[in-house]
């Protein structure tokens, strides 16, 4: 079974930081652009960030740009999301995603989804 497994979520106070990890069991991890989406309670899923297969080139939602950083380590089959200066509105379940095509990643037409990890930011 192909899996994307997120970890690193938890509860943090506003202004704090968290680092999410997503480890892939895809046989060819480097063949996929990777990204993160999030979904708050009662809200639609929204795009957060994406990164190219080789890690050169990335994109961010305007709401997180300057605060979040996406990176990847293909030798470890892992993509990361470092989140700084967290705000209560960042509270959501964060999902890792894989897609063969980087372009228009934000549309959400991905090939594989992770199970999600909860991030809760208190004021």
């Amino acid at each position: 079974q192909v899996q994307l497994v997120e970890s690193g979520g938890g509860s943090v106070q506003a202004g704090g930081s968290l680092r999410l990890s997503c480890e892939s069991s895809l046989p060819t991890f480097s063949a996929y652009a990777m990204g993160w989406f999030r979904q708050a309670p009662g809200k639609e899923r929204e795009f957060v960030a994406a990164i190219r297969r080789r890690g050169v080139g990335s994109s961010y939602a305007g709401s997180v740009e300057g605060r979040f950083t996406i990176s990847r380590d293909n030798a470890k089959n892992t993509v990361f999301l470092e989140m700084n200066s967290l705000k209560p509105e960042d509270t959501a379940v964060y999902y890792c995603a894989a897609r063969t095509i980087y372009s228009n990643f934000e549309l959400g037409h991905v090939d594989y989804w992770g199970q999600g990890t909860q991030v809760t930011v208190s004021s």
Side-chain angles (χ1 to χ4, degrees):
Q1 181 181 358
V2 176
Q3 294 186 28
L4 300 173
V5 181
E6 301 96 333
S7 62
S11 298
V12 65
Q13 290 185 282
S17 299
L18 285 173
R19 185 179 187 239
L20 306 183
S21 298
C22 173
E23 186 173 3
S24 172
S25 61
L26 290 167
T28 52
F29 177 72
S30 62
Y32 295 89
M34 301 295 297
W36 293 89
F37 293 79
R38 67 186 183 185
Q39 187 168 21
K43 302 292 185 179
E44 294 294 319
R45 181 183 61 207
E46 67 174 343
F47 170 76
V48 176
I51 188 167
R52 290 182 178 272
R53 291 177 295 171
R54 295 180 179 179
V56 181
S58 58
S59 59
Y60 298 88
S63 59
V64 307
E65 190 168 14
R67 298 189 297 120
F68 291 11
T69 301
I70 187 171
S71 61
R72 67 190 295 166
D73 186 341
N74 286 352
K76 297 181 179 179
N77 295 338
T78 303
V79 63
F80 306 94
L81 184 69
E82 183 176 1
M83 304 182 293
N84 299 311
S85 301
L86 283 162
K87 306 174 181 179
E89 50 262 47
D90 294 319
T91 295
V93 176
Y94 284 71
Y95 296 92
C96 178
R99 187 170 183 261
T100 55
I101 302 174
Y102 173 79
S103 182
N104 295 322
F105 202 111
E106 70 278 3
L107 298 181
H109 301 150
V110 302
D111 298 313
Y112 301 98
W113 291 100
Q115 83 289 350
T117 186
Q118 177 71 48
V119 171
T120 302
V121 184
S122 60
S123 61

